[in-house]
Amino acid sequence: MVTWQLLTGHDLDGPTNGWPRCVVVRMFGLTVPLCIRCSVLYPVALLTLVALMTGRAVIAPAWLLWTLPAPAWSEAVWEWTHPDEPAGRPLLRALVTLPLGLALGQLLMREFKSPADPLFWAVILAFGGTAMLVALAASLDKHSSLG
């Protein structure tokens, strides 16, 4: 497996199971998997950030920034805790990532305006930290059931 495929696809099982979490682009004889979540998250976050910087949008209230990441977080946690379920739900993955992208753009703007913004770090650590712990626990559980 080529290292750049992991950078664009993040799916360790991708080459053997058809990249179910990716949009697969074939060009110049290469198969390039693009992570569906990243393909939605970063463009939406960037557009949100540009809209905020140009004054075409206003920073959302804190309660909204706490709720926007929840759908993507829930979908990811469900996927990690249900490893026997099929991973190929690209439309759902893209749809739940839209609000996450909006939140990321908003949070980045808050961080740019006020470095060390406590809301930025609280949301990032709450959702990212718990997601990381769930993924780690699911991975350990998967490996312990193999041996």
Side-chain angles (χ1 to χ4, degrees):
M1 175 175 29
V2 179
T3 303
W4 61 265
Q5 288 178 323
L6 285 179
L7 294 175
T8 60
H10 320 307
D11 189 356
L12 294 175
D13 299 328
T16 58
N17 67 11
W19 302 100
R21 295 171 183 85
C22 301
V23 174
V24 177
V25 178
R26 288 179 175 75
M27 60 184 172
F28 310 116
L30 296 173
T31 299
V32 181
L34 298 174
C35 172
I36 292 170
R37 190 173 320 268
C38 294
S39 297
V40 173
L41 175 65
Y42 295 114
V44 171
L46 182 62
L47 289 172
T48 302
L49 190 57
V50 168
L52 289 164
M53 289 178 156
T54 59
R56 299 189 189 279
V58 296
I59 293 183
W63 67 267
L64 189 58
L65 298 177
W66 275 107
T67 57
L68 285 172
W73 181 88
S74 301
E75 190 270 338
V77 167
W78 186 89
E79 181 180 324
W80 294 326
T81 57
H82 293 80
D84 298 331
E85 296 291 325
R89 297 185 315 273
L91 182 59
L92 174 64
R93 187 168 288 112
L95 289 175
V96 299
T97 303
L98 285 170
L100 181 62
L102 293 171
L104 179 58
Q106 292 271 339
L107 288 166
L108 286 171
M109 184 66 182
R110 290 181 63 99
E111 182 66 10
F112 292 159
K113 287 178 85 172
S114 175
D117 178 19
L119 180 63
F120 173 84
W121 289 107
V123 172
I124 296 295
L125 291 174
F127 284 101
T130 56
M132 187 173 60
L133 290 174
V134 169
L136 180 62
S139 176
L140 292 173
D141 185 49
K142 178 181 175 183
H143 290 300
S144 68
S145 66
L146 294 176

